[in-house]
Each structure stands twice: as C-alpha cells, then as structure tokens.
Amino acid sequence: MGPALIQGASRGLGLQFSRALASRGTTVIACCRDPGGAEGLRSLQSEHPSLIDVVQLDVTSEGAVQAAAQHVQQTHGKALDLLINCSAILSPSGRGETSLRDVSMKALQDTFTVNTFGPLVMAKYFGPLLQAGQGSIGRQAAEARQQHAAVVVNMSARVGSIGDNKLGGWYSYRMSKSALNMATRNLSIELGRGRKKVICVALHPGTVDTALSRPYHKNVPADKLFSPQQSVGYLLNIIDGLGIDNSGKYYGWDGEEIPF
C-alpha cells in the first residue's frame, strides 16, 4: 500500500497503528504535537528508519495542519492511501463531566477543537492527497468490486451514539464524538462524489488500556478491556475489508454497525 498518515501517533492507539502498519512494510507518516518528547515513537522510528517519518502536527492549529500537508506532498508525493485521526481528550481536566455543574464553556471548546474540529481540518488539507491515493487498503475487497479508494478513519467512541446513550454525563466528550460522527458522514458524501472517491468511516475501538480511559477501568470486565495491540488488530481487520458501500458508517471494534 501507499503511505499512511497517523494523526496522534505518539502514544496509545496512534503509536500502535504506526507500529502495526510499519510491520507490514507500509510507509507511516507519524504526526504528533511534540516529536521531541515522543520517546516511544522515536524508538519505533529507530527500528524502521526507512518507513517512519515523524512530523510535527498540532491538530488544534490549522496552520500546523497545512504545513504538515505541504511536507507530506513534498516528501512522499501527492498521494495517501490511509489517514487515521487518533488524537482525543475526555476534557481538559482529564475526567468526563458527571453533571451540569462540571460543564464550562472553555472545556467544551477545547474538547471539540481536538476531537471534532481537528479531524475535519485534517480532511480539508489531506483530502486532495487521499483522492490521489491508490486505495491499497482493503485491496482484496476493493478488487472484488473493482473499487479502489483511499480511507479516512475518524476514531470515535460508542458514547458518541445518541441512540445508545442511556447513562448521560460526559457532556463534552459525548457531544464532540457525536459531532465527529456527523462530520464523517458529511465527508463520506463530499469525498464520495466523482471518480476519485475516498471511504470515510467512524470507528469505536472498545475500552482500551490507555491514559484517556484509565480512570474508568474499575468497572470494566477484564475481557472487555483491550490492550492497544488487541484493539488495533480488530480495527485493522475492519479497515482492510472496507469498500465504498461502507463509507459514512459507524462501526464498533467487532465490525457491528453502531446507531448514530
């Protein structure tokens, strides 16, 4: 496959996606806010010096996203086959709001900027490179339907499902992921037009043992708490099989479609 870009590659799922794709021989453009402090990513780069390109990208800065897109075009050519947006925060405090008294305008704005606005701006600047991609992801499924398309994956969460919300709370995180799902559906329509189509999906990785969810692991059954390796393995199985008919949809780690 052609190059893959991972936004939020310094830790957790983003780092594991970078590791798994590099192990396949894929060129990975691994983007993060602070490359100098990304020890795990630098270690991975030393293992795969010809495959890992570490690029500075602060997803909250449109200028930084544009600069990263220019770097990719100049360094790797004018085509991408895969973009995965991984960066996310529960809220600036690191904990989800349990009631209205915990809500603040600043925290809502900051959470939406990372979780929703950032991935949409990524699509704005990297969309043309994806439209030029060869769609080597999901090659077997694509060839069966004679459909070749690059893929955008927005890392969502089940708690972003309006239809599945029975507990409430976590206002900023839930709302930002619901909005991300809408952005994904919109992108699937715009980038699904014409000859140069791009598949756009939202994926829920399950409850993963990362810093984001760690404060809430106490009530998670052991068999439902995934390592990053487990989760990325499940998600890559889904990504590998994607076709145009999957675009605009919202899937769990098990491949089951989630209600918006």
Side-chain angles (χ1 to χ4, degrees):
M1 65 172 287
L5 187 144
I6 311 299
Q7 183 265 107
S10 63
R11 59 183 181 172
L13 291 174
L15 180 59
Q16 183 56 33
F17 270 119
S18 299
R19 181 177 292 112
L21 289 167
S23 72
R24 295 181 171 190
T26 299
T27 296
V28 177
I29 302 149
C31 300
C32 63
R33 184 175 55 186
D34 179 20
E39 295 182 6
L41 189 54
R42 288 297 184 186
S43 176
L44 181 63
Q45 185 181 42
S46 69
E47 296 173 29
H48 303 278
S50 65
L51 293 177
I52 303 289
D53 180 15
V54 179
V55 177
Q56 195 280 331
L57 190 159
D58 181 349
V59 76
T60 68
S61 165
E62 184 168 357
V65 175
Q66 184 177 20
Q70 291 170 344
H71 166 82
V72 171
Q73 184 168 336
Q74 293 165 2
T75 307
H76 299 279
K78 297 182 178 181
L80 280 177
D81 276 353
L82 176 63
L83 165 62
I84 305 179
N85 286 302
C86 288
S87 290
I89 59 173
L90 275 176
S91 74
S93 69
R95 300 189 69 88
E97 308 95 334
T98 58
S99 71
L100 280 171
R101 65 176 172 270
D102 300 321
V103 171
S104 75
M105 185 69 76
K106 181 64 164 58
L108 287 166
Q109 291 170 338
D110 289 349
T111 304
F112 268 77
T113 297
V114 175
N115 294 358
T116 310
F117 305 152
L120 185 58
V121 173
M122 289 289 294
K124 172 182 175 179
Y125 288 101
F126 288 98
L129 281 70
L130 289 157
Q131 287 176 314
Q134 297 301 307
S136 296
I137 277 288
R139 173 66 72 184
Q140 183 175 358
E143 286 185 343
R145 290 187 288 272
Q146 295 185 341
Q147 296 172 338
H148 301 270
V151 175
V152 173
V153 173
N154 287 327
M155 204 54 55
S156 188
R158 182 172 287 276
V159 296
S161 168
I162 295 172
D164 194 54
N165 182 4
K166 300 176 179 63
L167 296 175
W170 288 22
Y171 282 93
S172 58
Y173 189 69
R174 284 185 185 274
M175 291 166 62
S176 68
K177 291 299 187 180
S178 294
L180 178 63
N181 294 341
M182 176 61 82
T184 305
R185 176 62 70 88
N186 257 28
L187 288 170
S188 73
I189 294 169
E190 180 168 353
L191 298 180
R193 297 183 181 127
R195 184 174 58 84
K196 297 181 177 180
K197 301 181 189 302
V198 178
I199 299 166
C200 304
V201 295
L203 297 182
H204 162 56
T207 302
V208 186
D209 188 7
T210 63
L212 185 146
S213 64
R214 201 157 288 139
Y216 302 94
H217 288 175
K218 183 173 65 174
N219 297 321
V220 179
D223 63 337
K224 295 297 184 182
L225 180 62
F226 301 149
S227 68
Q229 292 88 343
Q230 284 177 291
S231 178
V232 166
Y234 293 137
L235 296 174
L236 281 175
N237 284 338
I238 295 171
I239 294 168
D240 284 340
L242 290 173
I244 293 297
D245 55 329
N246 302 115
S247 196
K249 296 183 178 179
Y250 175 25
Y251 294 102
W253 60 269
D254 55 0
E256 292 297 315
E257 195 168 347
I258 300 174
F260 284 106

